[in-house]
């Protein structure tokens, strides 16, 4: 219980700093492919144990982005962890990346039950959980998506959720493309 409480306090401190614009970022040109490969490699054992297929689909060419490698990786791992939590055995999670104007959009789509539209608008708020009856089964503090969104916005990106009508959920975040000036 003490460890869980310490983790909660650390998460709240991190979120407060991020929301106040006081969190330091190590922004530099990064290869998006590296971020994606590391995130998938980190979560592959959990996916394998659960019997979930984890795959990657990207544009052929992805330009470098200006981002913090550690924080961007945390965002991706958090989205993958959430997807693994709600995707049933023999389900599928697809990580994709594509260029959108002056950003690279990274998406995590799962084949889970999806998110009710009534809850979708609140998922990025502190402590919000779409299904409180699952809290004991899935754990978590309800801070992961709020922290992830703050990290993305701190890197001049955006984050959102798409809820297709046929089930599943797609969480997407963007990172700005590195622009070379002469």
């Amino acid at each position: 219980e003490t460890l869980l409480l310490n983790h909660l306090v650390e998460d709240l401190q991190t979120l407060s700093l991020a929301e106040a614009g006081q969190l330091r970022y190590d922004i530099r040109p990064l290869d998006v492919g590296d971020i994606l490969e590391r995130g998938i490699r980190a979560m592959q054992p959990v996916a394998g144990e659960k019997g979930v297929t984890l795959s990657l689909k990207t544009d052929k060419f992805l330009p470098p982005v200006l981002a913090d490698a550690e924080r961007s990786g945390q965002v991706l791992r958090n989205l993958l962890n959430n997807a693994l939590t709600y995707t049933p055995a023999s389900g599928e999670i697809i990580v994709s990346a594509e260029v959108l104007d002056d950003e690279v959009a990274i998406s995590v789509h799962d084949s889970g039950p999806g998110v009710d539209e009534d809850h979708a608008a609140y998922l990025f708020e502190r402590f919000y959980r779409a299904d409180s009856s699952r809290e004991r089964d899935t754990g978590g503090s309800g801070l992961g998506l709020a922290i992830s969104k703050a990290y993305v916005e701190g890197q001049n990106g955006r984050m959102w959720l798409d809820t297709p009508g046929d089930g599943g959920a797609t969480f997407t975040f963007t990172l700005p493309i590195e622009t070379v000036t002469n």
Side-chain angles (χ1 to χ4, degrees):
E1 293 296 320
T2 301
L3 290 174
L4 290 174
L5 187 57
N6 283 339
H7 186 66
L8 177 64
V9 170
E10 288 173 10
D11 283 351
L12 281 169
Q13 288 174 330
T14 299
L15 181 56
S16 294
L17 287 171
E19 289 177 339
Q22 296 179 348
L23 198 60
R24 294 190 186 273
Y25 293 89
D26 183 17
I27 304 290
R28 62 181 65 201
L30 296 175
D31 180 346
V32 175
D34 288 344
I35 296 169
L36 300 175
E37 288 173 20
R38 285 186 188 140
I40 288 174
R41 191 172 39 241
M43 302 307 288
Q44 192 65 54
V46 178
E49 282 179 25
K50 192 170 179 184
V52 171
T53 302
L54 186 54
S55 60
L56 176 62
K57 296 180 181 177
T58 66
D59 281 353
K60 198 169 204 159
F61 170 76
L62 292 172
V65 294
L66 286 175
D68 181 306
E70 182 179 332
R71 304 232 190 258
S72 298
Q74 276 184 275
V75 171
L76 180 58
R77 287 187 307 276
N78 180 52
L79 294 179
L80 286 168
N81 188 52
N82 286 350
L84 283 164
T85 298
Y86 294 105
T87 300
S90 75
E92 181 179 27
I93 298 170
I94 300 169
V95 178
S96 61
E98 65 180 333
V99 175
L100 292 179
D101 298 321
D102 58 351
E103 302 172 304
V104 171
I106 299 168
S107 298
V108 175
H109 175 76
D110 66 58
S111 61
V115 178
D116 188 284
E117 285 191 38
D118 293 339
H119 297 289
Y122 304 104
L123 281 182
F124 296 103
E125 292 183 11
R126 293 176 182 215
F127 303 115
Y128 188 81
R129 296 186 60 93
D131 185 356
S132 59
S133 68
R134 292 185 179 176
E135 186 168 351
R136 283 197 170 87
D137 295 336
T138 61
S141 61
L143 292 173
L145 288 173
I147 291 171
S148 293
K149 186 173 183 182
Y151 280 177
V152 169
E153 290 174 349
Q155 298 175 82
N156 298 311
R158 303 173 293 130
M159 187 172 205
W160 66 90
L161 165 67
D162 289 316
T163 54
D166 58 351
T170 303
F171 285 87
T172 302
F173 69 98
T174 64
L175 297 170
I177 293 173
E178 175 192 26
T179 54
V180 180
T181 56
N182 293 333

